[in-house]
Amino acid sequence: MPIVRIALPVPIPQLFDYTAEDASHEDIGRCVRVPFGGGEKSGLIVDLPVDADVDATRLKAVRHIQREVSPLPADWLELAAFTARYYHAALGEVVALALPPGLRRADAVRDLAADPLLAPSAAGAAVLAAPRRASRALRLLQHLAAQAPQRRSALRAHADGEAVGELLRKGWAEVVREGAPLVSGTLPILTAEQHAAVDAIAATATGYAAWLLHGVTGSGKTEVYLRLAANALAAGRQVLMLVPEIALTPQLEARVAARFAGAEIVALHSGLAEGARSRGFVRALEGHADIVLGTRLAVFAPLPRLGLILIDEEHDASYKQQEGVRYSARDLAVWRARQRAVTVVLGSATPSLESWQHARSGRYRYQVLSQRALASALPEVRCIDTRRLKLDEGLSAALQSAIAARLEAGEQSLVFLNRRGYAPVLSCPACGWVSTCPHCSANLVVHLADRRLRCHHCGCDGPIPRTCPSCGNHDIQPFGRGTQRIEARLAELFPRARVLRVDRDSARTRAQWEALLATIAAGEADILVGTQMMAKGHDFPRLTLVGVVGADASLHAADFRAPERLFQQLMQVGGRAGRAHLAGEVLIQTEYPEHPLYRCLATHDFDAFAAMALDERRSAGFPPHTFQAMLRADAPLLQDAVAFLREAAAVAAGLAPAQVHIYDPVPMRLTRLSRRERAQLLVEAAERGALQSFLGAWLGALRGLRTPRTLRWNVDVDPLEV
Ligand code: ADP
Ligand code: ZN
Ligand code: ZN
């Protein structure tokens, strides 16, 4: 009886053997349901071994194999295996993450196809010319050749579903494109820089090439993506386009859809209903989808005709998954481009220092778009020195009058603040009490609209107390500033202005977010108060002023990546100002107006900032000059987490080669989260290979350790949060 080897979502790096009466090699890459423990689990067939790992008579039989959709191809299994290897996760966990839940459960996938037109393919024509043995697929192919093209439903009526599936699996028939031309609408005339970028990148289209497309905000990177995508589609290839957060970029989705009206575009992100996600995934898998547009999980879309990968805003931290399998979709996308010998384009106005370094070293090719596509110049950036100023709810007089001038001119202003809520904390001036979360080492944030105190880490919330819970004082005050408080003050200062707050609270759903964007675009708001959501690629033609409040904290943060993030964020948010034909201005309120980071911003000099930051990283021995992994542990008691990490460090000492450096365990900055105490241990090496082989041996040894039941641990390779 055939044996199938299955990857199951369990946190140990092990595969499981089962028997399957009718299994063949064609079932590798298919989803299955199997009995496991007392219940049932879903997994993926990854091999058909001749012999089982255990006594074959003890093997159980699989319950169900999903055969209605094509199996995942070998290159997809390689991608999953690489992900498991590199991030030191179990293959079954990677599979569970990469496959849509419905498909993985081996559920039926409904409404898969509109009803495509089919015709014999080149392979089919060859078979017809020299038919070998008679089969039902051959009979159906002959029928199709006589009538072609035919709808799939018509073929199904003639033979049966299985025969049609067989025909497609053998590659004897293919979908005939119908209807509208691929590219539609009038195309803008490319700028000289766009033209050069498209030409240069297109010239490497025949094999693997990684490009960093460094284009200032508004330089028209998207237009470059669209032209390259058009080339790939015209060559009959599929395009994978990754974006950091699809809910925030409906404009991009609309632009892609408008440009490629004749193409099949599939959106893939975690916000989709299960059925839609499975359907999109299978459309990609079976080669129907022309463009897959999605967030980080879309990097796992199977794409048999893949020809181009585009990564928009490649610096964005949301490409790194922060839980479970902690993969970087950007890095996997580059790996995939190499695997499939296709071009990958990493685009950003503010590239990550990692990618920037690759471009410097020649590992990535480099194209720059230094000019905005539309006539307007980059905004003027100035610092407002707040050291000797009295601020009104955090707003300087200079910023207020700049806003007033915009109101006068009928233009929009944005006050950018990287914090949510009315105020970070509620505090008591009498006894010093502050509102801390009972489960986390974080402060609760005041939300005035619904009068709640809310933890932004674990989500727990409660009513705002009327008196100090510690001393009974009636005069407890919100301390610090948040978007809601600034919104309230701006409304007082400018009673005739329409003030609109844009943050995670006012845009909880995609519909709310789109409504806000529409309000702004229609010019129905005068002053916007926003958080980092506002920094992502939107076009607001009437927005001409960005005021930045409270940015200094990131200059001196403990995290070595904080300045890089601040620079990126301010450059991105500044890029919102003056996108169309109006001139833009950015005013940064700061106590450090001479800081080199702000000076580089003022001169729009990313290169100078990157050189400075890379120098600092080099002398401190931080990435990208070194490679890191973080072992994290959490338990109800901090001492348990730390004790485990100490033991892990002792094990490492016996295994690590000289190039691998093991730090001491430390509590995490946010130590307590959801009633668990967390600590971490950093491992660093000058070479990726040395780090990887050490991790393999070390984590293997750690899995054998006896640990308290309540302790959990995980590893984060190339961590972003340290
Ligand atoms: P980026 O993604 O680099 O920030 P976009 O692709 O969003 O920039 O382009 C900025 C604006 O310039 C958009 O409104 C876009 O339609 C316009 N644009 C881009 N390229 C051209 C061009 N060649 N001619 C005219 N307008 C262009
Ligand atoms: Zn008090
Ligand atoms: Zn909490």
Side-chain angles (χ1 to χ4, degrees):
M1 170 123 42
I3 298 166
V4 287
R5 187 156 289 167
I6 297 172
L8 291 175
V10 290
I12 46 172
Q14 188 196 327
L15 298 169
F16 298 86
D17 290 348
Y18 286 82
T19 57
E21 213 167 345
D22 53 348
S24 74
H25 275 91
E26 297 212 353
D27 291 318
I28 294 177
R30 287 208 152 104
C31 294
V32 283
R33 280 202 297 266
V34 297
F36 189 90
E40 189 174 82
K41 274 197 189 299
S42 322
L44 190 73
I45 301 178
V46 294
D47 198 6
L48 233 73
V50 182
D51 293 308
D53 280 341
V54 297
D55 178 6
T57 58
R58 289 176 37 216
L59 294 183
K60 293 186 181 151
V62 303
R63 292 213 172 122
H64 174 68
I65 301 182
Q66 156 72 293
R67 288 201 175 99
E68 286 157 52
V69 301
S70 307
L72 289 150
D75 74 280
W76 191 93
L77 294 174
E78 273 171 31
L79 172 68
F82 172 78
T83 307
R85 222 166 38 241
Y86 186 80
Y87 294 102
H88 298 273
L91 181 58
E93 287 184 299
V94 173
V95 165
L97 153 105
L99 291 182
L103 186 66
R104 182 165 55 86
R105 281 198 311 268
D107 291 350
V109 181
R110 279 179 302 126
D111 303 329
L112 248 182
D115 194 12
L117 274 177
L118 298 174
S121 63
V127 170
L128 285 171
R132 282 188 288 171
R133 129 186 108 72
S135 70
R136 99 187 145 168
L138 180 63
R139 270 199 306 283
L140 191 60
L141 177 63
Q142 285 161 338
H143 167 78
L144 178 62
Q147 316 273 329
Q150 278 219 347
R151 297 257 164 226
R152 172 140 89 183
S153 56
L155 281 186
R156 280 229 162 102
H158 178 82
D160 60 23
E162 288 220 349
V164 179
E166 209 172 304
L167 195 67
L168 289 169
R169 256 197 315 281
K170 288 181 187 296
W172 290 353
E174 64 186 9
V175 176
V176 183
R177 191 165 297 292
E178 48 184 320
L182 274 178
V183 179
S184 52
T186 46
L187 306 185
I189 297 166
L190 294 182
T191 64
E193 285 186 326
Q194 284 175 324
H195 208 107
V198 171
D199 283 355
I201 298 171
T204 61
T206 49
Y208 167 72
W211 285 91
L212 178 61
L213 179 63
H214 180 199
V216 301
T217 51
S219 60
K221 291 183 292 295
T222 312
E223 189 58 42
V224 173
Y225 303 149
L226 296 179
R227 297 297 172 103
L228 295 169
N231 288 349
L233 296 184
R237 313 290 292 271
Q238 290 170 303
V239 177
L240 172 63
M241 184 165 188
L242 298 181
V243 293
E245 256 179 290
I246 214 159
L248 296 184
T249 49
Q251 288 170 331
L252 178 68
E253 207 181 335
R255 255 172 101 181
V256 174
R259 179 64 58 87
F260 302 113
E264 181 171 328
I265 301 168
V266 156
L268 280 183
H269 52 91
S270 55
L272 291 174
E274 264 191 19
R277 204 177 136 196
S278 292
R279 208 149 50 232
F281 189 92
V282 174
R283 294 299 289 170
L285 164 68
E286 301 196 333
H288 303 299
D290 297 303
I291 300 175
V292 170
L293 174 63
T295 51
R296 63 173 176 256
L297 58 81
V299 77
F300 294 110
L303 295 155
R305 299 185 283 120
L306 180 64
L308 174 69
I309 304 179
L310 302 165
I311 310 173
D312 191 28
E313 311 286 5
E314 67 87 25
H315 64 277
D316 198 295
S318 40
Y319 283 124
K320 182 81 164 49
Q321 169 120 326
Q322 303 286 8
E323 56 188 38
V325 182
R326 291 163 169 79
Y327 68 99
S328 158
R330 176 194 66 200
D331 295 351
L332 286 180
V334 174
W335 186 88
R336 220 177 158 190
R338 185 188 288 277
Q339 175 204 27
R340 301 289 299 274
V342 302
T343 292
V344 56
V345 180
L346 298 93
S348 177
T350 53
S352 63
L353 291 177
E354 281 79 4
S355 299
W356 182 256
Q357 173 74 5
H358 285 327
R360 295 277 107 160
S361 71
R363 229 182 117 110
Y364 292 172
R365 294 154 204 255
Y366 180 77
Q367 273 292 318
V368 67
L369 305 176
S370 61
Q371 306 289 320
R372 286 188 156 185
L374 299 169
S376 62
L378 285 168
E380 190 185 329
V381 179
R382 284 194 295 122
C383 286
I384 298 174
D385 183 352
T386 56
R387 273 172 298 186
R388 274 177 287 283
L389 297 181
K390 190 162 158 30
L391 302 179
D392 178 354
E393 290 288 1
L395 302 169
S396 64
L399 181 54
Q400 288 178 35
S401 54
I403 294 172
R406 288 327 191 279
L407 279 174
E408 204 60 37
E411 296 167 13
Q412 288 171 329
S413 308
L414 163 66
V415 176
F416 176 74
L417 178 89
N418 194 18
R419 261 192 219 138
R420 280 202 289 154
Y422 182 85
V425 286
L426 198 63
S427 72
C428 170
C431 75
W433 171 87
V434 288
S435 55
T436 51
C437 174
H439 315 307
C440 309
S441 49
N443 291 323
L444 295 175
V445 173
V446 180
H447 285 253
L448 262 202
D450 48 359
R451 298 204 53 82
R452 306 291 283 179
L453 280 175
R454 193 166 289 138
C455 173
H456 285 190
H457 292 282
C458 74
C460 79
D461 73 342
I464 295 177
R466 288 182 195 286
T467 59
C468 170
S470 169
C471 75
N473 176 12
H474 281 268
D475 186 26
I476 47 177
Q477 301 274 343
F479 169 83
R481 277 181 298 284
T483 41
Q484 294 183 29
R485 186 140 164 196
I486 289 186
E487 177 195 18
R489 184 61 188 145
L490 285 167
E492 284 167 17
L493 288 170
F494 303 105
R496 297 225 307 281
R498 294 159 299 180
V499 181
L500 188 66
R501 178 166 50 85
V502 185
D503 59 15
R504 299 258 167 213
D505 298 315
S506 64
R508 267 179 214 287
T509 65
R510 180 170 175 143
Q512 285 174 343
W513 174 238
E514 285 182 18
L516 281 174
L517 288 180
T519 305
I520 300 169
E524 287 163 14
D526 304 307
I527 307 176
L528 315 172
V529 182
T531 57
Q532 63 204 25
M533 287 179 83
M534 290 298 293
K536 312 225 170 186
H538 317 292
D539 250 336
F540 303 123
R542 302 206 60 75
L543 180 68
T544 55
L545 172 71
V546 174
V548 176
V549 175
D552 287 346
S554 294
L555 293 179
H556 310 294
D559 180 354
F560 71 89
R561 282 195 175 83
E564 178 185 358
R565 280 202 202 104
L566 177 65
F567 189 87
Q568 285 165 347
Q569 215 166 51
L570 294 188
M571 207 153 184
Q572 296 279 350
V573 77
R576 301 308 118 212
R579 299 265 290 182
H581 295 286
L582 302 168
E585 184 179 25
V586 178
L587 297 176
I588 302 170
Q589 291 191 173
T590 173
E591 298 189 359
Y592 304 88
E594 302 303 322
H595 195 284
L597 187 148
Y598 293 136
R599 294 190 151 258
C600 292
L601 269 175
T603 50
H604 304 284
D605 198 343
F606 178 84
D607 300 21
F609 169 75
M612 180 180 81
L614 279 174
D615 266 355
E616 281 173 18
R617 301 262 185 104
R618 186 178 293 112
S619 49
F622 286 138
H625 299 290
T626 54
F627 299 90
Q628 298 182 328
M630 190 70 89
L631 183 67
R632 297 200 183 92
D634 62 78
L637 296 175
L638 183 62
Q639 71 214 41
D640 286 346
V642 173
F644 167 76
L645 294 179
R646 287 230 173 81
E647 197 175 354
V651 173
L655 289 170
Q659 320 87 295
V660 176
H661 185 73
I662 317 288
Y663 286 81
D664 287 331
V666 289
M668 286 177 66
R669 212 167 311 133
L670 183 71
T671 308
R672 198 167 153 77
L673 180 70
S674 304
R675 295 170 189 272
R676 296 181 70 86
E677 303 279 345
R678 311 183 304 158
Q680 62 187 21
L681 172 66
L682 180 64
V683 180
E684 201 172 78
E687 274 173 61
R688 210 188 278 281
L691 180 64
Q692 279 293 331
S693 46
F694 162 72
L695 285 177
W698 187 40
L699 299 174
L702 294 189
R703 284 190 195 97
L705 290 182
R706 227 175 239 289
T707 55
R709 278 180 152 279
T710 54
L711 182 110
R712 294 187 307 219
W713 60 269
N714 62 70
V715 67
D716 188 351
V717 178
D718 306 328
L720 280 187
E721 312 282 343
V722 294

